[in-house]
């Protein structure tokens, strides 16, 4: 009897262990199942969504593009792929670090998503994005303009205000290629817009494939252009608005390629900036401009010389030292040297720019903000920059005769500049009515084809020293005497 009870107890214990083990295994399997499901959801999210910005991932966009192509083939509605890349975004990472760069990318993605609405929008990686829109090309181009305008408005990164620009390329299905080529062709158009200076959009055409091969060859040739003496400076005079006397000459860079002829700076300057060549080229420009100014001085021509300073040069700690050494080498006074810096570059990093401006002004040099009116400068930012002059962008000058808005903007720039103690130069002056309006608005200096086209240093010397006093009598004397408005000593 006792043995039977023991056996029954052991049997019940074994049964309980077995049941418990089964329950445990089921519970464990359920927990593992939930973990696997969560992992799968995370994996799906990673595949379908960009981890940094929350936009679609490339793979998810490819699926959306496949579906759109099938639909386009079915109903005949075209579709546009829009590729967008930020201009010089790497400079943000270099200036403030990758954490700030990531924060800026998140803000950019949010602003793009707002402009794009419910259209498929993905981040391809880095600073490149892609968007899909069903419909004709023209609305797609309008969307590109909207996106570029939205991104041109300043962003806030921590305590800093950052301005940037972007370039976009468009490809239309089926006109611009099969499904497999659409993103590639849109990207080719975007890189073409970047090569032309950025802050614009371009539509794909087959020649762009050839252009990229050409750009690779040009980049190779550009590396050797300085040492092979293929670069040249031409000079365009600046004219005092009241006396019509020459006050300065701006140095403009040209590339005389041995087989391609003269290559536009709009093509090779962005190449130089993108591939790290602009510092060497900029140093050559400074040295050559100083050498030429010294040669003019020896001839009796006493003009201020102006050079364009790139954003990369402005961030170089030894920029002021380099310019100072070149000035001393050629026996020039610093006040005869003007550094022209575009508004977009000046506003990239207000604190760093302010320090660079102060160093240049502290060394006695003249500092000018070029292309003013095309960016998003605030009055507060402008007051912090110790510049000496503003140059009104040629776009406003071109519209002066026909646009009340252009006249209002030009007048506002002149009044603001004078309130801050800055001189105002208007560039791109091509007609007498433009000149008269600018003089009436109070511009201090004028520059453009109405007075003189860019010319070689030799031609400028001959032009100034011509025997025919009736040809340009208003300009000739100003090369030898000081003007009251812009003293040179």
């Amino acid at each position: 009897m006792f043995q039977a009870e023991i056996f029954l107890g052991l049997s019940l214990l074994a049964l309980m262990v077995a049941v418990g083990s089964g329950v445990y295994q089921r519970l464990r399997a359920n927990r593992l199942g939930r973990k696997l499901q969560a992992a799968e959801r995370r994996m799906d999210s990673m595949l379908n969504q960009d981890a940094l910005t929350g936009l679609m991932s490339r793979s998810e966009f490819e699926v959306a593009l496949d579906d759109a192509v099938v639909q386009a083939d079915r109903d005949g509605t075209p579709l546009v792929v829009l590729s967008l890349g930020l201009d010089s975004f790497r400079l943000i990472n270099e200036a403030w670090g990758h954490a700030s760069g990531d924060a800026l990318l998140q803000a950019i993605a949010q602003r793009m998503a707002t402009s794009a609405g419910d259209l498929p929008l993905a981040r391809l990686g880095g600073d490149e994005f892609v968007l899909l829109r069903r419909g004709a090309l023209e609305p797609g181009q309008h969307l590109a303009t909207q996106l570029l305008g939205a991104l041109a408005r300043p962003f806030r990164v921590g305590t800093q205000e950052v301005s940037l620009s972007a370039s976009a390329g468009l490809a239309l299905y089926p006109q611009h290629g099969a499904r497999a080529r659409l993103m590639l062709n849109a990207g080719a158009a975007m890189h073409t817009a970047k090569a032309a200076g950025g802050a614009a959009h371009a539509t794909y055409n087959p020649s762009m494939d050839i252009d990229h091969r050409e750009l690779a060859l040009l980049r190779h040739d550009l590396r050797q252009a300085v040492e092979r003496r293929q670069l040249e400076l031409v000079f365009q005079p600046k004219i005092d608005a009241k006396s019509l006397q020459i006050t300065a000459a701006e140095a403009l860079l040209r590339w005389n390629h041995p087989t391609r002829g003269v290559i536009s700076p709009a093509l090779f300057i962005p190449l130089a900036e993108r591939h790290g060549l602009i510092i060497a080229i900029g140093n050559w420009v400074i040295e050559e401009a100083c050498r030429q100014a010294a040669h003019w001085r020896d001839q009796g021509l006493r003009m201020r010389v102006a050079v364009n300073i790139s954003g990369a040069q402005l961030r170089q700690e030894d920029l002021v030292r380099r310019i100072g050494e070149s000035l001393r080498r050629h026996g020039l006074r610093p006040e005869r040297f003007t550094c022209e810096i575009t508004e977009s570059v000046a506003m990239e990093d207000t604190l760093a720019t302010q320090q660079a401006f102060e160093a240049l002004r502290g060394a006695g040099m003249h500092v000018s903000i070029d292309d003013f009116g095309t960016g998003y400068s605030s009055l507060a930012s402008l007051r912090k920059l110790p510049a000496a002059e503003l140059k009104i962008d040629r776009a406003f000058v071109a519209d002066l005769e026909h646009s009340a808005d252009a006249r209002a903007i030009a007048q506002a720039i002149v009044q603001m500049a004078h309130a801050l103690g800055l001189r105002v130069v208007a560039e791109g002056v091509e007609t007498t009515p433009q000149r008269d309006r600018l003089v009436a608005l109070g511009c201090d200096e004028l520059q453009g084809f109405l007075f003189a086209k860019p010319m070689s240093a030799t031609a400028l010397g001959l032009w100034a020293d011509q025997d025919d006093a009736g040809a340009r009598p208003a300009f000739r004397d100003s090369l030898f005497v000081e003007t009251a408005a812009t003293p040179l000593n």
Side-chain angles (χ1 to χ4, degrees):
M1 184 71 177
F2 178 71
Q3 290 179 340
E5 290 176 352
I6 293 176
F7 177 76
L8 179 60
L10 290 175
S11 298
L12 289 172
L13 179 62
L15 178 61
M16 291 174 63
V17 170
V19 170
S21 177
V23 170
Y24 171 77
Q25 292 296 335
R26 286 195 298 274
L27 289 174
R28 185 171 182 272
N30 288 338
R31 285 197 297 270
L32 288 174
R34 287 194 295 271
K35 288 182 178 180
L36 286 173
Q37 289 173 358
E40 287 174 358
R41 285 194 296 269
R42 288 195 298 270
M43 185 65 70
D44 288 341
S45 177
M46 292 173 62
L47 290 174
N48 298 335
Q49 191 178 68
D50 177 60
L52 177 64
T53 64
L55 299 179
M56 296 173 68
S57 66
R58 182 184 188 117
S59 60
E60 185 70 3
F61 183 84
E62 297 268 11
V63 172
L65 180 57
D66 287 338
D67 293 341
V69 166
V70 171
Q71 185 66 29
D73 291 339
R74 183 180 298 125
D75 61 21
T77 302
L79 59 94
V80 174
V81 172
L82 190 155
S83 177
L84 186 144
L86 304 176
D87 299 329
S88 302
F89 183 77
R90 64 180 178 80
L91 300 178
I92 302 294
N93 287 329
E94 292 174 2
W96 293 307
H98 288 278
S100 294
D102 287 350
L104 182 56
L105 281 172
Q106 290 170 338
I108 288 166
Q110 184 176 2
R111 193 174 291 182
M112 288 183 65
T114 300
S115 296
D118 58 356
L119 297 176
L121 171 65
R123 176 176 175 241
L124 297 182
D127 59 3
E128 292 192 4
F129 302 82
V130 64
L131 185 145
L132 179 63
R133 184 188 187 282
R134 282 175 54 82
L137 179 61
E138 187 174 350
Q141 293 170 329
H142 180 66
L143 175 61
T145 300
Q146 285 184 318
L147 286 168
L148 297 185
L151 296 181
R153 298 196 305 270
F155 290 86
R156 176 69 60 178
V157 178
T159 60
Q160 297 290 336
E161 190 175 81
V162 181
S163 294
L164 50 80
S165 64
S167 301
L170 300 96
L172 183 69
Y173 179 83
Q175 286 86 341
H176 294 156
R179 156 68 182 89
R181 293 289 309 176
L182 273 182
M183 291 176 64
L184 291 173
N185 291 346
M190 181 265 287
H191 288 294
T192 298
K194 277 182 178 286
H201 62 79
T203 300
Y204 173 80
N205 66 68
S207 67
M208 290 177 178
D209 296 327
I210 300 173
D211 287 345
H212 282 294
R213 291 192 292 271
E214 292 295 305
L215 287 175
L217 294 174
L218 280 178
R219 184 173 68 246
H220 174 268
D221 293 347
L222 186 57
R223 293 184 183 277
Q224 302 173 326
V226 174
E227 60 187 58
R228 294 183 177 181
R229 302 191 178 189
Q230 295 171 1
L231 298 180
E232 176 191 13
L233 291 183
V234 295
F235 297 85
Q236 187 174 34
K238 296 180 182 179
I239 311 298
D240 181 76
K242 294 180 180 178
S243 66
L244 295 184
Q245 294 179 323
I246 296 176
T247 58
E250 180 183 359
L252 303 168
L253 186 61
R254 299 291 185 266
W255 180 12
N256 297 308
H257 194 280
T259 59
R260 302 171 189 267
V262 178
I263 297 176
S264 168
L267 178 61
F268 73 82
I269 291 297
L271 265 182
E273 291 177 335
R274 195 157 57 248
H275 297 287
L277 305 175
I278 196 64
I279 297 297
I281 292 175
N283 290 339
W284 179 87
V285 169
I286 292 168
E287 179 68 18
E288 180 63 13
C290 290
R291 185 196 67 77
Q292 186 56 58
H295 182 66
W296 281 330
R297 179 203 56 209
D298 295 341
Q299 289 181 298
L301 311 183
R302 302 169 64 249
M303 293 178 294
R304 178 181 289 115
V305 65
V307 301
N308 293 281
I309 302 295
S310 70
Q313 287 176 279
L314 197 65
R315 287 183 289 273
Q316 293 289 304
E317 294 182 356
D318 63 348
L319 173 65
V320 176
R321 178 183 63 79
R322 284 179 177 274
I323 297 176
E325 289 176 351
S326 188
L327 291 170
R328 287 190 293 273
R329 203 160 29 245
H330 296 285
L332 297 175
R333 298 176 62 172
E335 57 266 29
R336 300 277 183 90
F337 193 86
T338 297
C339 297
E340 295 196 2
I341 300 159
T342 64
E343 181 189 13
S344 58
V345 168
M347 294 300 138
E348 279 181 358
D349 179 354
T350 304
L351 178 60
T353 304
Q354 181 182 354
Q355 293 172 342
F357 273 47
E358 288 174 347
L360 291 168
R361 290 301 303 276
M365 288 169 241
H366 193 257
V367 182
S368 173
I369 300 180
D370 198 6
D371 299 337
F372 192 81
T374 58
Y376 292 86
S377 302
S378 66
L379 182 59
S381 298
L382 191 59
R383 289 178 61 190
K384 295 177 183 177
L385 298 177
E389 73 177 30
L390 300 182
K391 292 185 74 175
I392 300 177
D393 186 72
R394 65 182 63 248
F396 301 117
V397 174
D399 291 340
L400 276 178
E401 297 175 60
H402 313 291
S403 170
D405 289 343
R407 291 192 293 271
I409 291 171
Q411 183 176 21
I413 291 174
V414 172
Q415 291 175 344
M416 178 183 66
H418 286 169
L420 295 174
L422 306 177
R423 290 175 60 80
V424 180
V425 181
E427 57 184 352
V429 183
E430 297 185 357
T431 68
T432 301
Q434 288 173 355
R435 179 200 66 191
D436 294 343
R437 285 190 178 276
L438 290 165
V439 171
L441 288 175
C443 278
D444 301 292
E445 291 179 280
L446 309 173
Q447 184 179 8
F449 285 6
L450 177 65
F451 308 102
K453 294 182 179 181
M455 61 187 82
S456 69
T458 301
L460 181 55
L462 293 173
W463 181 63
D465 201 30
Q466 57 189 311
D467 293 329
D468 182 4
R472 292 191 181 274
F475 306 150
R476 184 171 183 238
D477 289 346
S478 68
L479 295 173
F480 300 91
V481 299
E482 297 168 6
T483 63
T486 312
L488 298 178
N489 289 326

